[in-house]
Amino acid sequence: MSKPKDPSGAPAGNAEQRRLQMVDIARLAGVSVSTVSRALNGSELVNAETRQRVAELARSLNYSINFGARNLRLQENKTVAVVVPYDARSRQHISDPFFLSIVGSIADALTDRGYDMLLSRVDAERLDLASHWFDSGKAIGVILIGQWRHHDQLNEMAARKLPLVVWGGEMPQQLYCSVGGDNVLGGTLAARHLLQLGRRRIAFVGDARLPEVWLRRQGYAQALREAGLDVDPALELAAPFEPGVATGVVRDFCVSRRDFDAVVCCSDVLALLTIQALRGAGRSVPDDVALVGYDDMPLAAYCDPPLTTVHQPVAEAGAELVEALLGQLRGERPGPRTLPVYLKLRESAPAAAA
C-alpha cells in the first residue's frame, strides 16, 4: 500500500519530518515557525539578517532538498540559477568577454528548452552561497561558472544532493558534475606550438591556484618535458584574470624579465595585456616574443596582431551544462564532461614555415 501524501506530493512522513525541521530551525534561530516559512520563501517581510540565519540553519539540516523536490513535482518552477562568482579583491566584472559568452550560451540553451534564467553573483570565497537560490525554492538547480579555489565547498553542495553543474575542469576526488574544455590538452597544444616555432624560454601567465589554470599549466609542463626542457618557476606569473589587477603585474614582469621568447597566456584578455606590456618594454609580437592566448573570444581575431589562441567550445558549452543539470533533475547522475579544444592559428604565433 502506498503511503498517504501531503499536498506537496510527498509522503506524509516526510511532511512531518519537514515540520519538525522547521520547529528546530525556529528554535535555533529564536523566531516563530511562520517566520521560518516566510524566510525560506524569500519573503521581504523578514529582514535580510534573519533570512540569512534561517537559510544557513536550513542548509545544516538538509532542509533545502524538500524545496527543490516540491518545485519539480508540482512543476511550479522552471528557473535555473546561473551564478558567476567574483574575487572580492579584484571584482572581475561580469562584462568580461568569457563570462558574457558563456552566460549567453547558457541563456540560449535554457530558452530553447523552455526554462528561465536567474543570474546572480557570489563571493568566490563563499561558493556555497550559490545554493541559496535552490534552498529558497526560487530555482530548481544551479549552474556555477568556475570552480575558483574552493573545490571542497562544491563537493559539500553535491553531497547535499543539490542539483549543481559547474563550468570547470575535472579534479581529483570530485563529487559534483563539471563541464569544461580539455584544459590539459589546451596547455599542451599552446606550448607545443611555440616549441615547434623554435622558442625555448616560454613563460606561463595565469594563476595556477585556480583549477582550470592548474590543469593548463600541467599541459604546458608536459609539452616542455616532451622537448627535454624543465619548467622554470621564474618564468611563471600568477596573474589574475581581472584586467584592473593584472595590468600592473604583467607590466612589471615584462619590464623586469627579458629572457623569455614566448608566452602561454591563460585567457585572451591576459594575452592582450601581455602584448601591450611587451610593446611598452620595447619588444614586438611575434618577432621578439611569440604569444598564445586562451578561449578564442571574438575579439581575438581583431587584435594587433590577431591572436593565436586555444579555442574553447563556448557555444556548445551552454547546451552541455543545461543538459547535465536537467539530467540530475530526472534522477540521473551525470559524470564530468570534457569538451574538445583546438589551437586557432593567427599572427601572434603563426604557423611554422614549411
Side-chain angles (χ1 to χ4, degrees), residues 88-325:
R89 291 165 296 182
S90 64
R91 301 289 298 202
Q92 185 180 12
H93 295 164
I94 204 165
S95 58
D96 176 273
F98 178 78
F99 284 162
L100 284 178
S101 295
I102 197 163
V103 168
S105 176
I106 294 167
D108 288 343
L110 287 170
T111 300
D112 290 345
R113 291 157 179 79
Y115 288 82
D116 299 317
M117 183 177 80
L118 186 159
L119 183 62
S120 179
R121 306 208 71 184
V122 297
D123 189 327
E125 294 300 311
R126 292 294 311 276
L127 296 181
D128 56 315
L129 294 178
S131 65
H132 160 74
W133 300 111
F134 178 75
D135 294 344
S136 65
K138 292 180 179 177
I140 57 173
V142 176
I143 296 175
L144 192 72
I145 309 302
Q147 292 148 305
W148 298 79
R149 302 181 185 91
H150 288 289
H151 181 59
D152 56 330
Q153 294 179 11
L154 300 176
N155 273 341
E156 287 169 8
M157 286 193 283
R160 289 176 47 218
K161 310 302 182 187
L162 174 80
L164 171 70
V165 182
V166 180
W167 171 265
E170 182 177 357
M171 299 294 289
Q173 300 177 326
Q174 177 173 310
L175 301 179
Y176 56 90
C177 175
S178 63
V179 174
D182 191 335
N183 292 287
V184 174
L185 176 61
T188 301
L189 291 174
R192 188 179 288 159
H193 174 65
L194 294 169
L195 289 163
Q196 290 170 349
L197 296 179
R199 311 296 171 127
R200 290 295 178 269
R201 298 283 293 167
I202 303 174
F204 181 88
V205 176
D207 186 352
R209 292 174 298 174
L210 300 173
E212 287 184 280
V213 176
W214 178 73
L215 292 168
R216 292 168 196 175
R217 186 196 173 280
Q218 283 193 322
Y220 156 86
Q222 176 182 316
L224 292 182
R225 288 193 299 269
E226 289 173 355
L229 300 174
D230 294 326
V231 173
D232 184 352
L235 295 183
E236 295 185 68
L237 178 64
F241 285 123
E242 206 285 310
V245 178
T247 298
V249 175
V250 172
R251 182 179 60 242
D252 292 346
F253 179 78
C254 291
V255 169
S256 63
R257 302 204 66 92
R258 302 184 67 86
D259 57 344
F260 59 92
D261 56 10
V263 188
V264 172
C265 293
C266 283
S267 78
D268 290 342
V269 171
L270 283 175
L272 292 178
L273 296 177
T274 303
I275 290 172
Q276 292 174 353
L278 287 167
R279 283 186 179 145
R283 308 185 75 189
S284 66
V285 176
D287 295 337
D288 298 324
V289 180
L291 186 144
V292 177
Y294 211 104
D295 290 332
D296 195 20
M297 294 292 96
L299 60 85
Y302 304 103
C303 300
D304 181 21
L307 195 60
T308 291
T309 183
V310 176
H311 177 88
Q312 290 223 79
V314 174
E316 297 84 358
E320 292 284 349
L321 288 160
V322 169
E323 282 302 319
L325 182 67

